[in-house]
Amino acid sequence: MVKLLALVGLMALSATQLNAQTDAQYNVVTTAVPILIISPDARAGGMGDVGAATLVDANSIFWNPAKLAFMAPKTSSLSMSYTPWMSKLVPDINLAYISYQKSLGERQGLGVSMRYFSLGEINFRDDQGNSTGTFSPYEFSLDAAYALKFSEQWSGGIALRYIYSDIAQGQVVQGLQTKPGQSVGADIAFYYKSREINMQGGQKGIALFGVNISNIGAKISYSESGRSDFIPTNLKIGGGYVWQFDKYNKVAFYLDLNKLLVPTPQFITDDGDTLG
């Protein structure tokens, strides 16, 4: 039951329509494959999911692909992450992530990554409560990114993404035969890294800025009915400042702002009238 609730809560099979009551009106924005905007790595997760304007690291392709252009020349990086999901409630829901990034000279960078989300084993049942079998729903995405420096301080980047979501395993849901959902998306990003700012006592500072519009792409459908859901297109704007005390010590301050660029469903009353 816990896994079924997680499945329903995380991934909607069809666009959600809410009936508004006169005494309480809730208008929840839902998307398909929301796992696409969840932090895949421990470093960013430990800093409150900031990453649009952080210094370049092995997971930059997810947070801001434009940062790849600021990799040190002739270097590459590999990152692998595994995250047990709600491990205190269920034992077999997990998120796995792997990314590889490589510098292409002093002004360009290239990266690829894969994300895999498993919901473990779920016992599906029909409307009468009869078991229809045990299945293992999953989702994954494949990314490729490229970044180019426009100047010594500015860079731009783009990432292309293929999305595959098989969360119903061919079951009949609300009278509809389901199928795996597939879509494509893209990220468009920009990044700024200032020159080192010399301070008193040999201290230095670096100002950072980044913006990433992620998951720009087609809707995703889980049936042949033509009904489809938005993927989680998101605007992330971030800023940061790195204060280096000496050769061995520094402290960084970061702030990210996020806006989900998905239409909010309209209120529908019991009489079928639209509010708002």
Side-chain angles (χ1 to χ4, degrees), residues 145-195:
Y146 171 79
L148 173 67
K149 275 188 178 180
F150 303 140
S151 67
E152 291 303 314
Q153 285 75 48
W154 283 97
S155 68
I158 185 171
L160 302 179
R161 179 169 300 111
Y162 169 72
I163 306 163
Y164 185 92
S165 175
D166 190 4
I167 58 175
Q169 303 278 285
Q171 297 296 297
V172 177
V173 179
Q174 297 180 351
L176 297 175
Q177 180 67 47
T178 63
K179 64 174 184 177
Q182 300 183 66
S183 185
V184 292
D187 298 356
I188 298 176
F190 299 94
Y191 183 67
Y192 171 81
K193 181 181 178 181
S194 74
R195 294 185 175 90

Side-chain angles (χ1 to χ4, degrees), residues 66-142:
K67 292 195 288 184
L68 300 179
F70 281 86
M71 294 181 65
K74 300 181 180 181
T75 62
S76 61
S77 61
L78 175 68
S79 172
M80 293 182 288
S81 301
Y82 175 81
T83 307
W85 195 259
M86 299 190 296
S87 58
K88 292 186 177 181
L89 297 177
V90 290
D92 56 358
I93 297 181
N94 57 77
L95 170 64
Y97 181 75
I98 181 171
S99 67
Y100 174 76
Q101 301 170 175
K102 181 176 178 59
S103 170
L104 302 177
E106 297 183 356
R107 306 184 66 86
Q108 303 176 78
L110 182 69
V112 293
S113 68
M114 182 182 75
R115 167 189 297 250
Y116 183 89
F117 182 67
S118 171
L119 279 91
E121 292 186 350
I122 295 180
N123 184 18
F124 284 82
R125 298 182 179 275
D126 59 21
D127 294 340
Q128 287 72 42
N130 301 315
S131 176
T132 60
T134 300
F135 302 91
S136 300
Y138 67 93
E139 297 178 317
F140 72 85
S141 64
L142 300 173

Side-chain angles (χ1 to χ4, degrees), residues 10-64:
L10 284 174
M11 285 147 254
L13 287 179
S14 59
T16 302
Q17 182 182 40
L18 301 179
N19 291 326
Q21 303 296 327
T22 55
D23 55 344
Q25 296 180 345
Y26 301 99
N27 210 13
V28 180
V29 178
T30 61
T31 70
V33 287
I35 199 68
L36 291 178
I37 57 174
I38 294 178
S39 171
D41 65 286
R43 177 177 183 263
M47 298 192 298
D49 289 359
V50 296
T54 54
L55 293 172
V56 62
D57 65 1
N59 298 288
S60 295
I61 184 176
F62 173 78
W63 297 102
N64 186 335

